[in-house]
Amino acid sequence: MTTTAVKSRHLIGLKGMPKSEIEAILDRAGYWEAQPVAASSALSGKFVANMFFENSTRTRFSFEVAEKRLGAEVLNFAAAASSVQKGESIYDTVKTLESMGIHGGVVRIKAVGVMQELAERIKAPLINAGDGNNEHPTQALLDLYTMRKHFGAIEGLTVSIVGDIRHSRVARSNLWALREMGASVRFCAPDNMRATELAEYAPYVGIDDALQSDVVMMLRVQLERHEGGLFGSAEEYRAAYGLTEERAGRMAPHAIIMHPAPVNRDVEIDDALVECGKSKIFEQMANGVPIRMAVLERALLG
C-alpha cells in the first residue's frame, strides 16, 4: 500500500488528515444539505472532469450531481471510449485534460499508487474516487457524516467493519478517519479476507463480538477481485459472516447498520435488513452528495 496524504487541494486519502480538517468538511456538508434550493453558482465557470478508469455507478453519479448542484461545467470521461484503449498512459490522459483547462478532476482507478503520482505531477486539484484497495476518502467521509448525524458525535463510538477487509479501500479510509475522530474500530473477517498489515490499528474479532457495536458496517464481498474464490459458496459465507435477521436481532437497540453498496442481498446482508429501521444504507447514498459538494468546493475554491 502506498502512503496516502492530502497534498495541497488534492484529496488523495484520509490517512494523515487532521481531525479539524475532517470536521470542517463534515460541517460544510451539513451546510449544503440544509440549503433549500438544489442549485448553486458556487462553481460557476469551473470545469470538472470525471475520469473513471474503473467502472462505477453510485460514486460517479453522486459526484456528477454534486458538481451540477454547485454550477460546475461537467466533463465525463469513459476509459472504454478513450485513448487509454490505444495505449495512452493515465498520466498523459489526465495531463491532456489539464492542458485543456480543467479546474479539477475526479479520478477512479484500479492501480494503487497512481493517484499519489498524479497528485505530485498534476497542478489541477484531484479527488480520489477510489484507487484499488488503497483509499476511498469521500465514501468514508459520507460514512462519518452519517454516523455523526445519527449519534451527534463520532468520538467514543465502536465501529465494527465486517467482511472483505483485504480488498476494501472503504475499510482503510474509514479506519484512518474514525481513529482520528476518536472512534474505536474493529474488523471481522475470515482469515483469507484479512489485511494483516492493519491489525495493529484495529483488532480482529468474531462475528458475535462485532454485533456488540454502535455501528455494524458490512462490506460487499468483492467477487471480481478474488482469484479462484476465497470461500466455498455465498451460502457458506452468509452462514459464517453475513448479517442475518437473527444476528441483527442481537444488535443493541441503538445500533445502526451501514454498507457502502452495492449490496449483495442475502450474501453479506439479508434482503430484509437492507431497508429496515436500523439500516442507514440509502441515507449514506443521499449523504454522498453534500459531502462531495464540500470536497469539490474545498478542492476548487480552496
Side-chain angles (χ1 to χ4, degrees), residues 2-22 25 115-116 119-120 125-128 134-138 141 173 176-177 180 295 298-299 302:
T2 60
T3 299
T4 54
V6 176
K7 178 181 179 182
S8 182
R9 289 184 291 150
H10 297 303
L11 176 57
I12 306 306
L14 298 183
K15 189 175 185 180
M17 179 181 274
K19 180 179 180 180
S20 59
E21 196 161 2
I22 294 172
I25 294 172
M115 281 301 306
Q116 190 72 27
E120 290 169 357
L126 300 177
I127 298 169
N128 182 358
N134 185 34
E135 285 231 30
H136 195 346
T138 57
L141 287 168
S173 284
W176 308 131
E180 180 66 22
V295 167
R298 169 186 177 273

Side-chain angles (χ1 to χ4, degrees), residues 129-287:
D131 65 324
N133 67 350
N134 185 34
E135 285 231 30
H136 195 346
T138 57
Q139 176 67 47
L141 287 168
L142 74 87
D143 290 340
L144 267 65
Y145 183 76
T146 303
M147 292 178 209
R148 196 177 74 167
K149 277 183 67 177
H150 183 80
F151 292 105
I154 295 169
E155 185 172 3
L157 293 179
T158 298
V159 180
S160 287
I161 305 176
V162 183
D164 195 353
I165 306 296
R166 177 181 164 190
H167 294 93
S168 178
R169 51 198 172 207
V170 174
R172 286 169 173 80
S173 284
N174 266 290
L175 171 64
W176 308 131
L178 285 167
R179 279 171 52 90
E180 180 66 22
M181 296 294 285
S184 174
V185 182
R186 307 187 298 183
F187 289 145
C188 175
D191 289 345
N192 51 14
M193 293 186 186
R194 294 186 177 193
T196 55
E197 74 277 12
L198 301 180
E200 65 178 294
Y201 304 103
Y204 281 89
V205 299
I207 186 67
D208 291 337
D209 288 334
L211 298 176
Q212 307 309 309
S213 304
D214 301 299
V215 179
V216 177
M217 182 183 296
M218 305 305 295
L219 297 178
R220 182 173 67 89
V221 179
Q222 301 189 48
L223 300 173
E224 75 279 11
R225 297 181 189 276
H226 296 170
E227 295 179 2
L230 294 180
F231 57 92
S233 68
E235 292 76 15
E236 183 181 321
Y237 180 85
R238 175 180 176 273
Y241 288 94
L243 186 57
T244 62
E245 291 185 75
E246 186 277 325
R247 286 188 174 122
R250 288 189 273 136
M251 291 172 59
H254 73 279
I256 62 173
I257 299 167
M258 299 180 71
H259 191 304
V263 173
N264 292 316
R265 292 176 185 250
D266 294 325
V267 181
E268 68 264 6
I269 182 171
D270 277 6
D271 177 72
L273 298 176
V274 173
E275 298 178 61
C276 73
K278 286 183 174 296
S279 172
K280 298 295 177 183
I281 296 174
F282 286 93
E283 186 178 325
Q284 288 174 261
M285 295 178 201
N287 292 337

